[in-house]
Amino acid sequence: MADYFSTWLPEGWDWVGWLVAAVIQAILLLHVIAVGAVVFIWLERKVAGRIQDRLGPTRTGGKFGWLQTLADGIKLLGKEDLMPTDADSLLFKLAPYISLTASFAAFMALPFASDWVGVRLNIGLFFILAVLGLEVFGVILAGYGSGSKWSLFGGMRQAAQVVSYEVPLGICVVVPVMIAGTMDLVTIGDQQAGLFSNWLFFHDPFCMILFWVYFTCGIASVNRAPFDLAEAESELVAGFLTEYSGIRWSLFFMAEYGSMFLVSGLAAILFFGGWNGPIPIFFWVPEGNFPLETLANLVGLGNFMLKASIGVLVMMWVRWTLPRLRIDQVITMCLKYCVPIAAFCFVGSLIWTAAHLPFLNDVLPMQARADVREGWVQDIDDRMQRLEKRLATEAYELNSAVEGGPQQEAQVSDDIDAADRVAAKSTRAQEEAR
Amino acid sequence: MTNLPLLLSAAINWHTVFFYLVSFAACGFALAMVVSNNVVRMAFFLVISLAATSGLIFLTGAHFVGAMQLMIYVGGTVVLLIFGVMLTAQQAFISMKTKAGDWILALIVGGSLLALLTQIAFSVPAWRTSNYQAQLQAEVTAAEEEIIAAMAADNRTELTPEEEARLRPLLAKLKYGQPGLTSQVGLGLVGVRADQPELDSPGYAGYLLPFEIVSVHLLVVLIGAAYLARSKRSVSPTGEGGH
């Protein structure tokens, strides 16, 4: 995008292009979280209503109560901003922003369509996991900074849960990386182009199991039911959120919905082909065709959003269906079930891949996948070709300048001769004058 | 005035701007951690300082090392530290007063380390300037001009493999920072200088032995910590010995 803007700008003003591109991308990403939260909060109420056999919001905004979130937002803005006297004011005020920032920063490396990504990192997946790990700070600081025992307990439980679920999550994520041979999320997604059987979910039976482990750990790491006992209403009032009110409270929830979308989006890229639909439209688009490629990317964006939203919907469905787990059940689930299953699937998938055993995914064009894997090198190749062309033309011009002229050279030597003669004449004249 | 855009683009070098921003954050919060009295706030300032340090590593282009720093130090170690603080900090320990003797000792140790590091940092010629990107651009331009001259001299329009091998890493560096940096660090640890292949004394410049000593040392520290943290209550037949 920055390159595109730079073409409109005069030489030396490239940085303006970069700045504009950065601002546009940041605003777009912010809207993914903000607008996403608005829609998902409304959806959550509707889903809860349907599952529990009631209607959900109907009054605000006419049909389906679609203005409900906006009304909620206005209500939250109007609420009094309370802070307990015992609270550590600095940490209390900072905690929601830390949660939100961690959630937001991870979106930076999340691709939304092929190469439509804020920062294309060679290690995008690892970066997202690392940044998601920071979200626990918001929880801990909120729990501690509130100066209340409910908050402290809630924060401790939540932190223990998030930290322990990072272990199986990390193991689950390694398998798609191993199959794809890269941590670049754009490349992992592009490798699954083609029929839906190319998605890594269908790579081998172990991957099919692994996805469910990943999704369970994802739900736990974003603190959703049935793993939300940290904010259990009955036992802990509302966990680490007890003392928060108004807009600060809603910032925590915005971070939660952002993380939900992030985890589902990551699942879509790692296991369900990301922006690739079930039918390979990307293959029919001729390479380098600007409007068609953008159109294909827009369809891809729609695919990705749909898949990630379905993930969020499933999370809501789970929340309103399953009862809350006790803390010992939560930790048992993680250490006794998720970690061993993930490790077993890791080894199984490893052997399956190494032995080239056939599965649904076998129809996939291996060469195409290998080509995409080298995408990073491809980019440098393109640059190299452009540079080579430029160097060649420059060298050609230089050559033709040299070749094009015996006459030129003669002219030059004539000029030198002439200058010499003039100089000699002038010296002679000077001597004569003396 | 015609050169104003060029001047501006030279002045607003985003790499440098971000370097100063992030490094000031790292140093500032490190200082705030030292000065602060509250244990939990100290841990929090440490988090920000370490995160800013990872930002510095990202700026050098070593993305993997940066993410590692974020994951291990910020997401792992400091979370444990905060846990420990939250579990153990009682009323008396929440705000800590540092004794004058501690201050003096810390200043001596920290000051000597700072002096040493400063000297080492400025002994590397490439680190004396902050204008890394411009230097890289100049390097690429110089290489290009040399190659154009060579091409014009030989009267050809294609690059030789050697020239290509020379330009390719430069381009990659220009676009992605230093892609091979992580592996270079790893190779450097075992004694292979990937940046100076002409140095034909493998093992001479390596840090494998110190690295191993440090890791064994860390292991000893871990075992010691586990020993110290174990349950102090020992069951004795006489009923004594328990605390």
Side-chain angles (χ1 to χ4, degrees):
Chain A
M1 199 198 260
D3 293 335
Y4 175 73
F5 283 123
S6 297
T7 54
W8 291 83
L9 293 163
E11 189 77 18
W13 288 87
D14 293 0
W15 61 273
V16 179
W18 286 96
L19 192 66
V20 170
V23 169
I24 289 177
Q25 286 175 359
I27 290 174
L28 278 178
L29 285 183
L30 195 63
H31 276 79
V32 172
I33 300 180
V35 178
V38 167
V39 175
F40 289 144
I41 288 171
W42 171 80
L43 193 66
E44 174 113 52
R45 287 156 170 260
K46 284 311 251 192
V47 170
R50 294 302 146 125
I51 286 177
Q52 296 180 343
D53 202 13
R54 50 195 169 95
L55 284 173
T58 50
R59 304 287 176 86
T60 329
K63 207 162 192 199
F64 305 125
W66 59 277
L67 266 178
Q68 184 64 44
T69 320
L70 212 61
D72 281 344
I74 291 165
K75 183 191 78 178
L76 284 170
L77 276 175
K79 273 193 176 176
E80 192 184 359
D81 189 16
L82 292 170
M83 185 168 74
T85 38
D86 280 349
D88 188 330
S89 60
L90 176 77
L91 301 184
F92 184 84
K93 282 177 186 161
L94 268 178
Y97 298 106
I98 289 174
S99 273
L100 191 67
T101 311
S103 180
F104 180 51
F107 271 85
M108 211 162 61
L110 186 78
F112 288 86
S114 182
D115 220 8
W116 281 14
V117 49
V119 185
R120 182 170 179 179
L121 284 175
N122 203 5
I123 48 139
L125 179 60
F126 189 52
F127 176 80
I128 287 183
L129 281 191
V131 172
L132 263 184
L134 303 187
E135 238 177 299
V136 69
F137 278 114
V139 173
I140 293 181
L141 292 179
Y144 176 83
S146 297
S148 139
K149 62 181 176 183
W150 305 115
S151 304
L152 191 61
F153 273 133
M156 293 290 294
R157 285 178 164 203
Q158 165 78 352
Q161 178 186 319
V162 172
V163 168
S164 42
Y165 271 94
E166 258 177 38
V167 177
L169 196 71
I171 301 175
C172 291
V173 155
V174 166
V175 174
V177 169
M178 185 182 69
I179 296 168
T182 174
M183 282 200 276
D184 187 344
L185 284 171
V186 179
T187 313
I188 293 180
D190 279 344
Q191 282 187 7
Q192 304 172 50
L195 278 179
F196 70 92
S197 60
N198 282 357
W199 297 349
L200 288 182
F201 184 72
F202 302 107
H203 183 265
D204 55 60
F206 299 103
C207 272
M208 284 186 164
I209 307 171
L210 205 72
F211 165 72
W212 298 108
V213 181
Y214 170 85
F215 203 68
T216 313
C217 298
I219 292 177
S221 70
V222 298
N223 184 34
R224 296 283 296 179
F227 302 103
D228 71 335
L229 88 170
E231 50 182 273
E233 297 96 352
S234 49
E235 316 157 53
L236 287 172
V237 193
F240 65 94
L241 288 164
T242 309
E243 307 297 343
Y244 282 87
S245 69
I247 197 72
R248 290 189 210 285
W249 180 87
S250 56
L251 283 180
F252 273 115
F253 273 84
M254 208 148 116
E256 185 179 314
Y257 281 97
S259 302
M260 275 165 74
F261 187 82
L262 186 80
V263 167
S264 311
L266 216 53
I269 293 174
L270 292 180
F271 292 98
F272 287 101
W275 42 90
N276 296 299
I279 305 162
I281 57 162
F282 283 90
F283 280 161
W284 304 331
V285 175
E287 205 161 310
N289 190 331
F290 169 67
L292 273 185
E293 249 183 6
T294 309
L295 198 69
N297 265 342
L298 275 175
V299 175
L301 180 74
N303 275 333
F304 177 77
M305 288 291 188
L306 189 70
K307 286 175 190 174
S309 304
I310 288 175
V312 175
L313 195 70
V314 173
M315 283 185 183
M316 289 170 185
W317 172 19
V318 167
R319 174 175 178 179
W320 295 103
T321 313
L322 294 181
R324 179 178 294 131
L325 297 179
R326 282 199 318 269
I327 183 76
D328 60 319
Q329 287 169 334
V330 167
I331 300 297
T332 307
M333 178 87 184
C334 171
L335 295 178
K336 267 193 177 166
Y337 297 104
C338 285
V339 173
I341 294 174
F344 171 74
C345 289
F346 171 69
V347 175
S349 190
L350 182 78
I351 293 170
W352 197 278
T353 314
H356 294 291
L357 288 174
F359 200 61
L360 292 173
N361 202 328
D362 227 37
V363 282
L364 145 133
M366 287 302 275
Q367 188 52 45
R369 176 176 281 192
D371 286 348
V372 180
R373 188 178 304 166
E374 305 300 327
W376 189 80
V377 181
Q378 188 91 44
D379 192 24
I380 288 294
D381 273 345
D382 291 350
R383 266 171 99 89
M384 194 75 204
Q385 267 171 10
R386 257 179 287 149
L387 182 72
E388 201 170 321
K389 209 181 277 174
R390 215 193 75 213
L391 291 184
T393 44
E394 280 180 31
Y396 176 76
E397 278 166 12
L398 220 63
N399 270 330
S400 57
V402 174
E403 273 169 19
Q407 302 105 326
Q408 274 182 5
E409 273 179 12
Q411 218 171 353
V412 169
S413 54
D414 281 357
D415 286 353
I416 291 169
D417 286 353
D420 278 352
R421 258 178 271 135
V422 169
K425 216 185 266 177
S426 66
T427 41
R428 219 177 296 145
Q430 278 172 1
E431 277 171 8
E432 279 175 8
R434 261 182 231 149
Chain B
M1 283 309 279
T2 48
N3 253 345
L4 187 67
L6 275 177
L7 277 176
L8 264 178
S9 73
I12 305 182
N13 183 339
W14 287 109
H15 198 270
T16 315
V17 170
F18 277 112
F19 172 78
Y20 281 120
L21 241 155
V22 175
S23 55
F24 274 124
C27 299
F29 281 103
L31 207 66
M33 191 211 108
V34 173
V35 190
S36 171
N37 279 333
N38 185 315
V39 176
V40 180
R41 279 195 190 186
M42 278 185 203
F44 172 63
F45 291 145
L46 188 64
V47 168
I48 302 186
S49 181
L50 285 174
T53 312
S54 89
L56 280 179
I57 300 175
F58 272 112
L59 278 182
T60 65
H63 297 142
F64 184 73
V65 183
M68 271 300 213
Q69 159 95 7
L70 216 57
M71 194 160 217
I72 296 178
Y73 281 97
V74 186
T77 313
V78 182
V79 167
L80 279 184
L81 199 142
I82 291 185
F83 257 117
V85 167
M86 269 168 51
L87 285 173
T88 54
Q90 303 298 323
Q91 292 303 324
F93 295 108
I94 281 182
S95 73
M96 295 166 86
K97 292 273 184 292
T98 317
K99 277 177 261 166
D102 291 345
W103 270 109
I104 292 167
L105 199 66
L107 277 179
I108 290 172
V109 175
S112 48
L113 187 66
L114 181 69
L116 196 71
L117 286 180
T118 319
Q119 207 187 349
I120 291 172
F122 282 96
S123 70
V124 180
W127 293 353
R128 289 202 196 115
T129 168
S130 62
N131 211 348
Y132 172 80
Q133 205 67 26
Q135 271 186 352
L136 201 60
Q137 191 69 54
E139 198 183 337
V140 175
T141 317
E144 277 175 23
E145 263 165 21
E146 211 172 290
I147 286 168
I148 289 175
M151 283 163 88
D154 298 356
N155 202 358
R156 62 193 156 81
T157 50
E158 275 168 16
L159 297 173
T160 58
E162 293 89 50
E163 284 167 353
E164 206 178 316
R166 186 175 159 203
L167 279 178
R168 191 175 286 273
L170 278 177
L171 277 185
K173 218 165 155 183
L174 205 61
K175 175 123 201 252
Y176 295 105
Q178 295 245 14
L181 208 62
T182 320
S183 56
Q184 280 183 21
V185 170
L187 284 172
L189 275 176
V190 296
V192 181
R193 289 292 295 270
D195 56 331
Q196 294 175 357
E198 69 275 8
L199 210 72
D200 57 346
S201 54
Y204 180 69
Y207 296 97
L208 189 60
L209 187 66
F211 183 71
E212 283 302 320
I213 290 174
V214 168
S215 23
V216 171
H217 186 80
L218 278 176
L219 182 69
V220 170
V221 170
L222 272 178
I223 295 174
Y227 175 76
L228 286 177
R230 84 194 197 290
S231 159
K232 289 287 192 305
R233 188 177 299 161
S234 59
V235 184
S236 60
T238 54
E240 289 169 15
H243 294 280

